[in-house]
Amino acid sequence: MSEKAQAGQVVLKVIESWGVKRIYGLPGGSFDSMMNAIHLEKDNLDFIQVRHEEAGSLAASAEAKLTGRVGVMFGSAGPGAVHLLNGLYDAREDRVPVLALVGQVPQAFMNIDYFQAMDEGPIFDDVAVYNRTATTAAGLPKLIDEAIRQAYAHRGPAVVTIPKDLAWEEIDAAVPTSANYYSDPVYPLPVASKIEQAAELLSQADRPLVYFGMGARNARDELLELSSKLKLPLISTHPSKGSIADDFPAFLGSAGRVATKPAVEALSAADVIVWVGNDMPFASKLVNSHQKIIQIDVDAQKFGKRFADELSILADAKVALRALIDASPELPGTAFYRASLANKQNWEEWLTTFANDSRTPLRVEPIFHLLNEVSKPDDVFLVDVGNVNIHFARLAHLTPNNKWATSGKYATMGFAVPAGIAAKAEYPDRRVWTLSGDGGFAMLNEEILTQVKYNLPVINVVFSNRTLGFIEAEQRDDSHQPLSGVLIQDADWAKVGEGMGAVGYSVNTLDEARAAFEAAKKLDKPSVIDVNITGDMPFTTMYMHLSDHDDPEAVKEFQAKYEAEDLRALDYWMEQAK
Ligand code: FAD
C-alpha cells in the first residue's frame, strides 16, 4: 500500500520542490488545516508570520522581484483573502510569479451564507493569471503544481483556494511536481535584415540613444559595449536603475518624473531611440512623432502599443543587442553624445553641492550622501512609493551588485517595510535598508514587529516631511489646484519603532544623521531612523526652465526656486560640444 500524508503537507512539499524557502501569512480559522501542514513542514519551509496579510503578499512579491523565484503567501477566508489583493496586483503589474493559498470554509459550508464564506473565485478573477478552487484532496497537490507553472509562464499571481476540510484529508504522499521540467523560454532570433536596418539608422542619426528597461536586465555587457562602440548615451526606466553602474559616464539615469535632468533632456532631443525591454507606462508622453524608435521586445503585443515603431525587433534583448553590436561599425560620437555626458556631469556636480548641506529641516541630498558613504556595493534597498523614488533615482549610487526593488507600475505605498522582511530573510549576510516617506511608512509599519520577531536587523529610514509629496507636487505643478488632502499628521516614528522593539533614532541635524547611520549599521536588531526633512519639493524634470530659449524671467524664477543657478540646459552643452 502506498504511503499516506495529509493533503496540506503534500501541497507544501510541492511548493518546496520549486525551491521555495518560505511562506508569508497570518492564520485564520479557515486555514487551520494548512497551518497544521505548515507545522509539520517546519524543518523544510520557513513560516513568516506577518501582522497583516497585505504585508505578506507584498513580501512575497518583493521576494520574487529580488530572486526571480516564485514568492508564496496565504490568507484565510474573507478578510484575510481580500487583504492579499494589494501584493497580488503589485506582482502582476511588475510581472513576477507569486502563489497565493487562500483559505475557505469547509465545503459543506460554502455558498450558504456561512461565517467568512465569500465566493472567492470572482474576488481574484481580475488579478490572477490562474485562479482555481480545489475540489478534491487527491487533486490538490497537482493543482498547486499547475498553479506555480502558470505563475511562471504568465509572470503573475496564481491563486488556489483551499476548502478547510480538503487539506486535512489523507492522500497518497507522492509529490506530483514538474519543477525539474521548467526552463526559461527561448525567444526567436532577431531578423537579420532588421538588425542591419537598425545599424544603418543609428549610423545616420545625429542624436541617437538607448532607452532600456527591465527586459534588458540580462544584457548589461551588451548595453555597455553598444554604448561604447557607437557612442550612445544610455537611459533606463526607473526599476532598471542599477543594471548599469550609476557612475558609468554615458548612463544618464531615468526619464519622466522619477528622473534625472540629463536623461529627460536627452530623451526629448533624441532622433533615433533603441527602445529595449522597456514598457514604460508614460511612454506616449515622452516621445514625439519625429523620433524614430527601434523597439526590441520578446512580446509582440508591445509593438505599437504606446508609440509608432520605425522598426520592431522580436527577440531577447541580449541577443538582439549583440547582433546590433556585430552589425555596426565603430562610430566617432556625435555632439549630442558629448553634450549628454557634459550635461550629466553638470547635474551630478550640482547635486553634490548639497552633499554636506546642514540646513534644517534637512535636505535629502546629505542623507543620501551619507547612505552612499556607509553602504556597501552589495547592500539591498527596498524603496517605498512617492518622492522617495525620485530621491533614490537621482541620489543613490548603485553598482550592479546592489539589489533593490520598489512597487514599480502598481506603485502601492507601504511596499518597503514588508519587502525589507523578505530581503533580510533571503540575504541574511547583506545589509538591508528600507527607504520610505512618512506616508508610506504609516501604512504597514506594524511589520517592524515582524522584523523584531524574526530578529531581522533591517535599517528602516523614514523621510518625514508631513505631506504626500509626490501628490503635492502634482497638485501644485500639473493641475495648479489648491493643496487638497495631502498634508498628513506627523508622528515620532523612532518612538513608534522603539515601542515595537526596534532601536529608534530621531534625526534633525546632519550630525545626528551621521551618528544614527553609523550606530544602526552595527546593530543586530532592526532600527527605525526618522529623518525630519524639508517640505520643499524636489527639483522637477517635468517643467524645466533653464534654456536660453525660455523666458529669462521664468529661468530666473526656476533657478531661484531650486537653487539651480549652476545648472545648464542640454542646448547649452550642445553649443559647447559643436
Ligand atoms: P516592465 O514593465 O517589467 O517591462 C519590461 C518589458 O521588457 C516588457 O515589455 C517585456 O515584454 C520586455 N521583456 C521582458 N524580457 C525581455 C527580454 N529578455 N528581452 C527583451 N524584452 C524583454 N519609471 C520611470 O522610468 N519614470 C518615471 O517617471 C516613473 N515614475 C514612477 C513614479 C512612481 C511613484 C513609481 C512607484 C514608479 C514610477 N516609475 C517610473 C516606474 C514605472 O511605473 C514602471 O514600473 C516602469 O517604467 C516599468 O519599467 P520597465 O518597462 O523597465 O519594466
Side-chain angles (χ1 to χ4, degrees):
M1 218 175 73
S2 62
E3 212 183 310
K4 296 280 180 193
Q6 278 181 9
Q9 191 173 8
V10 187
V11 159
L12 297 184
K13 287 195 179 296
V14 172
I15 290 171
E16 289 157 23
S17 74
W18 283 87
V20 174
K21 297 180 188 166
R22 63 192 67 85
I23 179 167
Y24 304 89
L26 185 70
S30 56
F31 210 70
D32 282 345
S33 52
M34 284 304 302
M35 289 313 298
N36 187 60
I38 284 174
H39 177 76
L40 294 174
E41 278 304 294
K42 62 181 182 307
D43 293 339
N44 304 318
L45 187 69
D46 289 338
F47 161 50
I48 297 201
Q49 178 212 59
V50 289
R51 300 303 293 272
H52 193 302
E53 295 87 348
E54 178 181 349
S57 65
L58 286 169
S61 177
E63 187 178 304
K65 290 179 195 189
L66 292 168
T67 65
R69 200 180 56 225
V70 64
V72 184
M73 69 196 84
F74 69 83
S76 54
V82 171
H83 283 168
L84 295 177
L85 281 170
N86 224 30
L88 292 175
Y89 274 109
D90 179 59
R92 186 185 80 176
E93 293 301 286
D94 283 349
R95 299 174 231 272
V96 290
V98 293
L99 170 68
L101 305 180
V102 175
Q104 180 57 290
V105 300
Q107 291 175 100
F109 296 92
M110 285 171 67
N111 309 319
I112 53 169
D113 197 21
Y114 188 67
F115 177 72
Q116 289 190 327
M118 308 294 121
D119 187 6
E120 282 166 352
I123 294 176
F124 295 101
D125 266 350
D126 179 58
V127 70
V129 297
Y130 180 81
N131 178 25
R132 297 288 188 277
T133 298
T135 52
T136 68
L140 181 53
K142 187 70 199 145
L143 174 56
I144 296 294
D145 188 58
E146 181 62 22
I148 296 175
R149 293 162 64 89
Q150 296 289 337
Y152 276 111
H154 300 289
R155 306 202 58 76
V159 178
V160 177
T161 298
I162 305 175
K164 183 175 176 177
D165 49 325
L166 294 187
W168 289 121
E169 278 185 40
E170 294 274 317
I171 60 166
D172 188 340
V175 178
T177 176
S178 61
N180 288 340
Y181 300 99
Y182 177 77
S183 78
D184 287 331
V186 177
Y187 300 111
L189 289 175
V191 175
S193 60
K194 290 197 175 185
I195 293 291
E196 279 160 25
Q197 275 175 276
E200 179 64 18
L201 274 172
L202 287 169
S203 68
Q204 299 297 323
D206 291 325
R207 295 180 304 282
L209 60 69
V210 178
Y211 186 12
F212 66 91
M214 291 298 275
R217 64 189 167 285
N218 294 329
R220 176 179 308 129
D221 292 348
E222 288 72 18
L223 287 168
L224 290 171
E225 203 175 322
L226 186 70
S227 167
S228 301
K229 186 173 181 187
L230 276 66
K231 316 291 180 302
L232 304 178
L234 299 171
I235 67 176
S236 79
T237 60
H238 175 45
S240 303
K241 178 184 170 72
S243 295
I244 300 292
D246 280 299
D247 63 6
F248 182 65
F251 176 58
L252 308 182
S254 53
R257 187 187 293 268
V258 175
T260 66
K261 170 182 167 290
V264 169
E265 290 179 315
L267 182 59
S268 124
D271 58 355
V272 174
I273 304 169
V274 180
W275 191 288
V276 52
N278 172 346
D279 190 28
M280 210 276 195
F282 308 109
S284 62
K285 293 186 173 174
L286 300 183
V287 297
N288 63 61
S289 56
H290 306 298
Q291 295 174 318
K292 293 186 173 152
I293 301 182
I294 302 161
Q295 190 177 2
I296 302 169
D297 206 294
V298 289
D299 181 356
Q301 288 183 58
K302 301 292 159 51
F303 299 131
K305 173 179 162 189
R306 302 193 190 273
F307 43 77
D309 290 349
E310 181 74 11
L311 266 178
S312 311
I313 301 179
L314 183 65
D316 171 60
K318 192 175 178 71
V319 175
L321 292 176
R322 171 57 52 201
L324 194 50
I325 294 164
D326 293 345
S328 300
E330 181 146 1
L331 296 177
T334 57
F336 172 71
Y337 176 73
R338 293 189 296 279
S340 290
L341 267 59
N343 196 20
K344 173 182 176 175
Q345 200 179 334
N346 175 238
W347 165 252
E348 292 291 337
E349 283 167 4
W350 176 70
L351 291 173
T352 307
T353 59
F354 302 105
N356 296 306
D357 196 316
S358 57
R359 279 173 288 178
T360 55
L362 290 161
R363 290 181 64 103
V364 290
E365 292 88 347
I367 303 303
F368 274 88
H369 183 64
L370 266 178
L371 189 66
N372 290 331
E373 238 176 54
V374 302
S375 60
K376 291 191 274 189
D378 69 347
D379 282 3
V380 186
F381 300 94
L382 296 312
V383 181
D384 216 275
V385 165
N387 277 350
V388 68
N389 292 102
I390 300 180
H391 307 321
F392 185 77
R394 293 175 183 170
L395 297 164
H397 292 171
L398 299 192
T399 75
N401 289 333
N402 289 118
K403 279 185 174 281
W404 82 278
T406 188
S407 176
K409 184 150 162 262
Y410 185 53
T412 178
M413 290 163 70
F415 174 83
V417 176
I421 296 168
K424 195 65 193 176
E426 182 69 28
Y427 306 109
D429 299 330
R430 297 170 76 155
R431 196 176 295 138
V432 172
W433 304 80
T434 76
L435 308 176
S436 310
D438 45 356
F441 191 75
M443 284 197 179
L444 287 171
N445 67 81
E446 83 292 336
E447 297 306 323
I448 299 294
L449 288 167
T450 311
Q451 296 180 2
V452 170
K453 179 179 169 91
Y454 293 99
N455 202 19
L456 300 169
V458 177
I459 306 176
N460 302 281
V461 182
V462 190
F463 294 93
S464 285
N465 64 354
R466 298 151 295 278
T467 178
L468 303 176
F470 202 86
I471 310 305
E472 175 178 331
E474 276 182 6
Q475 292 187 356
R476 283 184 190 283
D477 300 340
D478 295 2
S479 43
H480 305 286
Q481 64 188 71
L483 289 189
S484 180
V486 291
L487 302 181
I488 54 177
Q489 179 62 40
D490 196 13
D492 185 337
W493 295 115
K495 267 197 191 146
V496 171
E498 275 178 5
M500 290 191 264
V503 178
Y505 303 92
S506 287
V507 166
N508 289 294
T509 67
L510 204 42
D511 285 344
E512 286 171 358
R514 185 176 296 280
F517 277 54
E518 286 297 340
K521 71 178 192 179
K522 294 186 193 122
L523 290 174
D524 56 4
K525 57 195 305 200
S527 52
V528 176
I529 304 179
D530 183 7
V531 188
N532 180 17
I533 61 160
T534 171
D536 292 346
M537 290 298 117
F539 177 95
T540 178
T541 48
M542 303 291 284
Y543 312 97
M544 290 186 278
H545 298 288
L546 287 168
S547 161
D548 285 347
H549 305 301
D550 287 330
D551 167 15
E553 277 310 306
V555 173
K556 239 193 209 160
E557 199 182 312
F558 187 84
Q559 286 181 326
K561 179 170 177 188
Y562 294 109
E563 302 181 35
E565 286 78 7
D566 295 336
L567 273 184
R568 297 281 172 275
L570 176 62
D571 48 17
Y572 170 86
W573 299 110
M574 286 293 283
E575 279 301 312
Q576 305 290 309
K578 273 183 189 160

